[in-house]
Amino acid sequence: MRMVRGFAAASVALIGVAACSAMAEDRRPLPLPTTSVSGDLACRFVSKESLSIALGTAEYDAQGDRRDAHRKNPDGSTLAAATCEVSTASTKGKRAISISVQPLGLIGEDDAQVAEVLASGRADYVFPAAEGMGFAASDATLHLGAGTCDLIVGDWHYGVTIHDAVEGRKAVDDAVALTRQVVATLNLPKVGTKPRPTASPAK
């Protein structure tokens, strides 16, 4: 009987360990997809589901849109720009996530910052050259938001900023994933017709 009782106790212990492991896995941040997503879109170019995951809530307000140009761009696309400003009740009207897609050269300072951060080595993440020219950084690095991502692909500058950290999530990882999603969803030409930005000379 003692052996049976011992076996039963060991079994209960193992079940308890397995349950704890399962609970720990359930608490791990759900990764965002990094490819074009299906389903409803906020601002006509951002996954509503991905925003809910990144924000930790399905209750949010998204303002923005994708706008077409009056004529074709040099790369053959028809987009003028796309923006999406997202807020939640907890942010009290302030931005929780900002997403923008703008033509390269529209705001030269933003373009130059990409080159300067890459040259300085301050980025927390650098995109592979095959994906474009870009980086992601935490607030501790650039003080622009909990997770900031800038990526230049073709003639376009993609920017995603998660302004405040969300408990249990990694803002830099989410900013990178959202950026890759937007690139895939908009599917703009990857070959550029405009010169790449360069870092300003050190003074």
Side-chain angles (χ1 to χ4, degrees):
M1 290 294 293
R2 287 180 182 175
M3 290 181 63
V4 172
R5 288 175 181 173
F7 178 76
S11 298
V12 170
L14 286 172
I15 291 171
V17 171
C20 289
S21 298
M23 290 175 63
E25 288 182 3
D26 288 342
R27 287 196 293 269
R28 289 185 302 184
L30 182 65
L32 296 180
T34 58
T35 57
S36 181
V37 293
S38 59
D40 293 337
L41 298 176
C43 307
R44 295 203 299 148
F45 73 103
V46 186
S47 165
K48 287 185 176 181
E49 182 179 3
S50 291
L51 288 177
S52 295
I53 295 171
L55 292 167
T57 177
E59 300 297 323
Y60 62 83
D61 179 60
Q63 298 290 329
D65 201 357
R66 52 188 292 181
R67 304 180 302 280
D68 288 331
H70 296 298
R71 55 190 174 192
K72 280 191 175 182
N73 298 311
D75 64 0
S77 66
T78 58
L79 183 73
T83 59
C84 198
E85 299 288 351
V86 185
S87 59
T88 66
S90 63
T91 58
K92 298 178 180 179
K94 295 181 180 179
R95 295 172 297 174
I97 297 178
S98 298
I99 303 174
S100 68
V101 183
Q102 63 192 30
L104 187 62
L106 182 65
I107 304 178
E109 292 180 359
D110 288 354
D111 300 337
Q113 183 183 51
V114 176
E116 287 167 3
V117 171
L118 290 173
S120 71
R122 291 182 295 155
D124 294 304
Y125 176 82
V126 176
F127 281 89
E131 290 189 60
M133 177 182 183
F135 71 91
S138 65
D139 192 43
T141 304
L142 293 182
H143 309 294
L144 295 174
T148 298
C149 185
D150 283 272
L151 177 64
I152 294 171
V153 184
D155 286 349
W156 299 93
H157 185 151
Y158 300 79
V160 173
T161 296
I162 298 174
H163 294 279
D164 296 309
V166 174
E167 185 177 357
R169 300 207 61 81
K170 295 181 180 180
V172 170
D173 292 349
D174 284 350
V176 170
L178 283 170
T179 300
R180 285 177 166 144
Q181 278 187 34
V182 170
V183 170
T185 300
L186 289 176
N187 195 29
L188 294 166
K190 304 297 191 297
V191 178
T193 68
K194 301 177 181 180
R196 304 293 91 181
T198 56
S200 301
K203 295 181 180 180

